[in-house]
Amino acid sequence: MTVKIGVIGTGAIGQDHTRRINQVLAGAKVVAVNDVNRDNAQACVTAFAPEATIFDDPIALINDPGVDAVLVCSWGQTHEEYVLATIAAGKPCFCEKPLATTAQGAENIVKAEVAAGKRLVQVGFMRRYDPGYLALRHAVQNVTGAPLMVHAAHRNQRVGTNYTTPMAIHDTLIHEIDVLRWLLDDDYVSAQVFFPRKSPRAHEKLRDPQVVVLETKKGVVIDVEVFVNCHYGYDIQCEIVGEDGIAKLPEPMSVQTRSNAMLSNPILTDWKDRFIDSYDYELADFLKAAAKGTAAGPSSWDGYVAAVTADACVSAQEQEGVPVRIALPERPALYA
Ligand code: NAP
């Protein structure tokens, strides 16, 4: 069976996922696209999906009988509406992060999916599919003993002037919020934020770098450095300290050179290259489940927990050094 896919939002990631579905993965085909920016939709069709129809209305795309499943890759503010419409149509939906831009929006999606009675949504937390993080999770479960602490870092070369201090949480830290919870099989109870001396490379209104400290239900203390003007590369670090040992996220594979009295490894600069395989694996997982009319992988509940945690972190930014409590309702049985 070929799963017929509709893509809403054909900017950077929407086009890349269309390429992936039509040129890399088996079992699915992009048959419909939509974007408020029609030039983007046309560019996507021309480059990666010459047989796809361009829809002017995203809701018409979702409800079209020729579309079996939907990818929501548009601007974050629109995700809630499109995911809810896809659930209402009874179709599987892959939603890029964030699931919604507010915790209330994510909760609305959880409630709609629970009412539908089956998993229909996968959230684009692709790090769970990264071979390095999977190996790290295996080490945490089999080698390090129970985790005590986590030291992590999320560093970008630079960001534009439209990037704000809360975006360091909602757009950047959000990946650590999800993947660390998954690695530790734990939930957060509090968040605290500290701002060191500001980097002179950060624009006037941006506070950068920052350190976010999260505490989990099991008592693990996590520190994550978020530094989005680090200048030297795109660098993701994660080290778990357990009762019996330490496990560290492997560096991406690269050729090591010896030359001019130097031993060197390159550092990546583009986030697209750092997790390139994980995007393939997460979509393959989505397509496999979508062929059966359901969804797998990171769930709406995971998207909701990430949204609640992110809100607490932003509140912690506003009251530097003060721990902000994170309270979650009981997890619905659908996500057990
Ligand atoms: P982008 O290049 O700006 O593309 C977004 C596209 O959606 C643009 O074509 C935009 O049109 C369009 N759009 C805006 N409002 C819309 C609406 N109401 N209906 C339909 N389309 C609309 O952004 P991107 O980098 O692809 O990011 C898209 C989403 O993916 C974001 O939520 C982002 O956080 C997420 N993302 C996730 C990852 C990851 O690692 N998982 C990586 C990158 C992005 P205009 O050009 O006219 O604004």
Side-chain angles (χ1 to χ4, degrees), residues 299-310:
S299 66
S300 297
W301 177 255
D302 297 316
Y304 167 69
V305 173
V308 170
T309 307

Side-chain angles (χ1 to χ4, degrees), residues 164-177:
T164 61
T165 305
M167 282 169 75
I169 304 295
H170 284 296
D171 278 17
T172 303
L173 181 79
I174 199 83
H175 283 296
E176 272 76 18
I177 289 176

Side-chain angles (χ1 to χ4, degrees), residues 9 11-13 34-37 40 73-76 78-79 82 96-98 124 126 175 271 279:
I13 200 119
N34 157 266
D35 200 303
V36 282
N37 180 337
N40 272 354
C73 305
S74 49
W75 187 47
T78 63
H79 291 185
Y82 301 153
E96 263 309 337
K97 62 86 186 161
M126 76 297 174
H175 283 296
W271 56 265
Y279 293 112

Side-chain angles (χ1 to χ4, degrees), residues 170-235:
H170 284 296
D171 278 17
T172 303
L173 181 79
I174 199 83
H175 283 296
E176 272 76 18
I177 289 176
D178 180 70
V179 83
L180 295 178
R181 183 177 155 259
W182 167 82
L183 267 177
L184 300 173
D185 191 20
D186 206 347
D187 269 318
Y188 305 117
V189 292
S190 73
Q192 235 173 322
V193 175
F194 299 91
F195 292 98
R197 185 172 70 77
K198 179 176 161 169
S199 160
R201 290 199 175 91
H203 67 77
E204 198 190 343
K205 291 187 186 147
L206 177 63
R207 301 183 78 182
D208 181 57
Q210 56 193 280
V211 178
V212 180
V213 177
L214 293 160
E215 193 175 346
T216 73
K217 270 188 186 160
K218 293 178 191 166
V220 179
V221 174
I222 300 166
D223 57 271
V224 188
E225 169 202 317
V226 182
F227 186 14
V228 294
N229 289 282
C230 82
H231 192 61
Y232 70 84
Y234 178 70
D235 193 10

Side-chain angles (χ1 to χ4, degrees), residues 7 10-24 28-31 33 40-52:
V7 178
T10 48
I13 200 119
Q15 291 200 24
D16 204 36
H17 284 334
T18 302
R19 174 194 62 78
R20 191 163 275 120
I21 289 169
N22 282 4
Q23 298 183 357
V24 181
K29 187 175 172 184
V30 173
V31 297
V33 302
N40 272 354
Q42 188 58 59
C44 180
V45 166
T46 304
F48 307 115
E51 293 166 38

